Structures are given as structure tokens and as C-alpha cells.
Amino acid sequence: MTREGRCACGAVTFTVDGDPAGQGVCSCLNCQRRTGSVIGVAARYAEGKVRLSGETRPFSRTSDEGNVTTFQFCPVCGSTVIWRNTGMPGFTMVAVGCLADRDFPAPKMSVFGERRPAWVTLADGITEYLDD
Amino acid sequence: MTDGGAVREGQCACGAVTLRVEGDPILQGVCSCLDCQWRTGSVISVNAGYPADKVVLTGDVREFRRKADTGNEVLFRFCPACGTTLSWDLATPGFVVIAVGCLADRDFPVPNAAVYGERRPDWVCLADSIKEGWG
């Protein structure tokens, strides 16, 4: 099964083949700033399962652990569509919202929930890993 | 910026653009329309509306315009270095909406309403106090 995603303006599109190898929610401050939302939703795919079309611009940041995450965003509208992390070689992360598919597999885990406002909670099946 | 109200500060992911808002928003809400999902890469957007003179963006921004479902044009401002959208203008003059996540403040006022809930995955649960729909 192939799913299709895109940025807000449609200049960048991507496809993902099959279900992700993992999917999760993150409310770290970096994800909140990047998304402008209070949760980031990401799915991890083997690199070859993700095909990106259109011009993107990279933005890299280094985590506390020293891993470098390089995000690819559309220079026309700003949407970040995918990213890769040196700590997860061979995988590409996809911004799940860009697939705009409410039936996409639900996240299995959540991190940095302590940064998430109390008005949003996650379904019981999602394991919370709190930073404490 | 006029006096009055707590000042909150935010930024884009890379920090090249900063955001400063004064006082509490006039309204705040959650949206799961397709455009918001594509823009955020998340399944909900969290937005707060302010009088334009209560919002200050500092740093170079790029603009992106699109038509809303209403037919009105929306003008978004994003950081050209990292892509983060920080604020946008609706058709209402003198009114600016900000991306609440850029404030990274879990104590920011709770949204009043959520729209396009039919597009939101079931695994996201919102507090009962948040009214669904345009009401």
C-alpha cells in the first residue's frame, strides 16, 4: 500500500510504501516550535520506502546526545515533510500530518509528554515515556 | 506595543525569528483541517488570535498565501531558515493568529474550540471543556 503526502502548498510531495516501522508523538520544545502545534507526529520508514519529489531546503540541528537531525522543508510554504537523524541510520522520518490521513496507524509511543499541555491527552494504547 | 498583560516569547525551530505577544489571546483554538495538517506536519494545529498590535515578529520571514475554505486569502509568515510558520493574517484586519507551539508554554490559555474534528485521528483526546465545531 502506498500513501501520498505533501506540503501545504503542494510543491513538495512524497510517497511512503507500506506501514511504518514505528510511529510516535513528541512534545519536546523543538517539535512544538517546528510544528507550531503542541504535538509532533512522526512515522519512521526504511529509507527506500520514502520517495520525495520537489525542491526542499534542509535545516539541521544537533541534539543533546550529539545526533544531527536534518529536516527537509518546502521553501515556498515552510512545511517540514521528512527528516533523517544520524542516530537512526537507514531510516527516514515522515511528518504524519503531511499524509492528512486519519486512518494512518496510530502512534505506539509518546515522548516529552511532560511538555504537553494538560488539555490534550493520548489514547490508552500509546505508551508514554516521561523524562523524569 | 501597548502596555498591559503578561508578555510571552516564542521562536521558530532555529531561533532566527522570534515572536512576542502581549496579554492573553482574544480566542484560541485547535484545527485539524487538511491545510493545517499539511502545514504543521501534525494532526492538530493550535492557534491563538490577537489584536495585531499585541504581536511582534523579529527576524526575516517569508510569506506564503493560500485561499481558505471561505474563499478568503490567508497570509502565513515562516522562517526561511527552518520552515517554521509563526503567524498568519486572516481576512479580518487588525487581527493576527499565532502558532501556539512556537511559545512552547504548556500553561498557555486552553483552547476554547476545536474545528474539523472529523479529520482528527481518534487517538488524540481533547479536554471536555473544548467545544467541538464552529458553534
Side-chain angles (χ1 to χ4, degrees), chain A residues 15-102:
Chain A
T15 60
V16 290
D17 288 336
D19 282 341
Q23 63 269 20
V25 175
C26 182
S27 292
C28 78
L29 300 188
N30 286 307
C31 280
Q32 293 197 42
R33 291 173 183 138
R34 173 177 60 78
T35 61
S37 179
V38 297
I39 56 172
V41 188
R44 182 167 55 92
Y45 282 89
E47 220 159 30
K49 304 282 188 187
V50 181
R51 285 186 199 82
L52 186 66
S53 302
E55 185 206 345
T56 58
R57 185 173 295 182
F59 161 58
S60 295
R61 66 174 170 77
T62 304
S63 73
D64 289 347
E65 295 79 25
N67 294 320
V68 178
T69 305
T70 301
F71 299 89
Q72 300 293 336
F73 68 94
C74 171
V76 178
C77 69
S79 297
T80 293
V81 288
I82 67 165
W83 59 97
R84 296 192 180 93
N85 180 325
T86 56
M88 282 189 215
F91 288 100
T92 297
M93 265 59 73
V94 165
V96 169
C98 294
L99 298 165
D101 172 8
R102 72 188 300 280

Side-chain angles (χ1 to χ4, degrees), chain A residues 33 37 39 78 97 102 116 121, chain B residues 41-42 44 83-84 120 122 125:
Chain A
R33 291 173 183 138
S37 179
I39 56 172
R102 72 188 300 280
R116 199 170 61 226
T121 53
Chain B
S42 180
I44 56 172
T84 301
R120 196 171 65 226
D122 292 334
C125 313

Side-chain angles (χ1 to χ4, degrees), chain B residues 54-55 63 65 69 102:
Chain B
K54 303 291 186 187
V55 179
E63 294 180 348
R65 293 165 197 269
D69 285 350
C102 294

Side-chain angles (χ1 to χ4, degrees), chain B residues 50-52 55 57 63-66 68 72-77 85-98:
Chain B
Y50 283 87
V55 179
L57 280 191
E63 294 180 348
F64 163 58
R65 293 165 197 269
R66 69 163 172 84
N72 293 325
E73 191 173 77
V74 188
L75 183 154
F76 296 89
R77 298 177 195 86
T85 294
L86 295 102
S87 75
W88 54 98
D89 294 347
L90 305 176
T92 314
F95 186 72
V96 172
V97 185
I98 65 156

